[in-house]
Amino acid sequence: MTPVICAFYNKSKIKHIVKQITSQTNRLYLWALEDKPSKDTEPYIQGRGMRPMYEAWDSLLDLCNDASEAVCLVDDLELPDNWLTDFTTASQYIKADMAGAAITEDSETQQPFMVKRPELSFRRVNWVGVYAIYFSRYALDRLRPFGPQAQPGGWGMDMKLAQQCDNYGLSQYVVDAYPVKHTRPVADLYDKSLALKEHNRWMLEHNIKSRQPIALDRYHNPIIPRVREKGDINHGKD
């Protein structure tokens, strides 16, 4: 089963995420960033304490070294029923090294490039916004460790990942067919001006270049195989 990881604040959609994800996989690994998380999350918590999200992801991914892929989530998403299986099936089908789920039109975002294109199933791109990310094992072995990240919000890590994908020849996609809803305003839990200042310093220090997101190829509603029954993943073969 596909491992799913998430570092979460108590003020988040984590209860919803737990319910949706555990209906499709028993490999959910959580990092509790704050004290007194809800009882719904306790069976899945593998680490605790305030730390940067990507560094928490790294620790959780160490528990998934046997897996051929993994999905990383931010904690403020609303997921449709069966989303995990549909999204991972699509990512496998297009042979993505890294794929990001598009976000719905009613999402909170400052990244319009990631908003779902209703006429498309997926796009091959030069950058992926970090909401819900699929990584192949081949990509994980080359992109990790993710940290250290810029504080406090980790801004700029998306540009670092894009740059690394170019360096390693890894494919990047946005999957429009199976979007998620991002519900939290940007920088709602930390100081936005401080995050921007730290982002600029971190980008310069690590020689990370900003880039304009572009779609290199667009795929107009090809047939993406869906799951016929729970647990029956169709990899594009009859």
Side-chain angles (χ1 to χ4, degrees):
M1 293 186 176
T2 303
V4 177
I5 70 167
C6 180
F8 70 95
Y9 291 95
N10 294 341
K11 181 185 175 183
S12 68
K13 289 288 185 178
I14 193 61
K15 290 184 181 180
H16 163 80
I17 289 171
V18 167
K19 181 179 179 180
Q20 289 292 78
I21 295 301
T22 55
S23 71
Q24 297 163 77
T25 182
N26 60 9
R27 299 195 67 178
L28 175 62
Y29 303 97
L30 302 180
W31 189 282
L33 297 170
E34 298 178 296
D35 294 334
K36 299 181 180 179
S38 69
K39 293 181 180 180
D40 310 70
T41 65
E42 284 291 349
Y44 309 102
I45 293 174
Q46 302 294 326
R48 300 171 188 267
M50 184 61 67
R51 66 185 304 193
M53 180 184 74
Y54 289 93
E55 294 175 22
W57 283 10
D58 268 328
S59 293
L60 295 173
L61 284 167
D62 284 339
L63 305 174
C64 308
N65 288 331
D66 63 318
S68 61
E69 62 193 4
V71 172
C72 301
L73 305 177
V74 298
D75 68 348
D76 49 357
L77 300 177
E78 290 183 2
L79 309 174
D81 291 344
N82 211 50
W83 173 83
L84 175 64
T85 307
D86 286 339
F87 175 62
T88 54
T89 300
S91 299
Q92 294 163 356
Y93 179 71
I94 60 181
K95 296 180 170 61
D97 292 309
M98 185 172 83
I103 55 176
T104 59
E105 291 182 355
D106 58 345
S107 290
E108 294 281 355
T109 184
Q110 292 185 347
Q111 298 174 337
F113 182 79
M114 289 300 296
V115 174
K116 170 184 170 62
R117 306 296 192 266
E119 76 279 9
L120 301 180
S121 285
F122 51 92
R123 294 167 267 163
R124 188 170 66 88
V125 298
N126 71 336
W127 169 89
V128 172
V130 178
Y131 300 99
I133 305 290
Y134 168 95
F135 293 100
S136 69
R137 169 52 54 190
Y138 186 81
L140 286 171
D141 288 344
R142 285 151 183 80
L143 299 176
R144 292 186 61 219
F146 297 134
Q149 73 174 55
Q151 294 289 348
W155 293 9
M157 189 63 70
D158 52 347
M159 295 296 174
K160 178 187 176 185
L161 290 173
Q163 191 165 304
Q164 287 179 300
C165 284
D166 287 350
N167 293 342
Y168 288 112
L170 303 176
S171 61
Q172 302 177 76
Y173 287 87
V174 173
V175 178
D176 293 285
Y178 303 116
V180 297
K181 181 178 179 180
H182 185 245
T183 63
R184 182 187 295 144
V186 175
D188 185 48
L189 298 179
Y190 51 85
D191 186 287
K192 187 174 181 180
S193 61
L194 177 60
L196 181 59
K197 181 179 179 180
E198 179 64 11
H199 161 267
N200 293 338
R201 181 204 61 78
W202 184 86
M203 293 278 283
L204 183 63
E205 177 182 333
H206 293 274
N207 196 29
I208 306 299
K209 309 297 184 184
S210 293
R211 61 178 62 193
Q212 182 68 31
I214 59 173
L216 305 172
D217 288 302
R218 298 173 177 84
Y219 298 85
H220 294 263
N221 293 324
I223 297 174
I224 293 181
R226 296 186 68 99
V227 174
R228 289 188 288 267
E229 297 178 5
K230 185 177 181 180
D232 176 20
I233 294 182
N234 182 338
H235 292 269
K237 298 179 181 179
D238 293 333

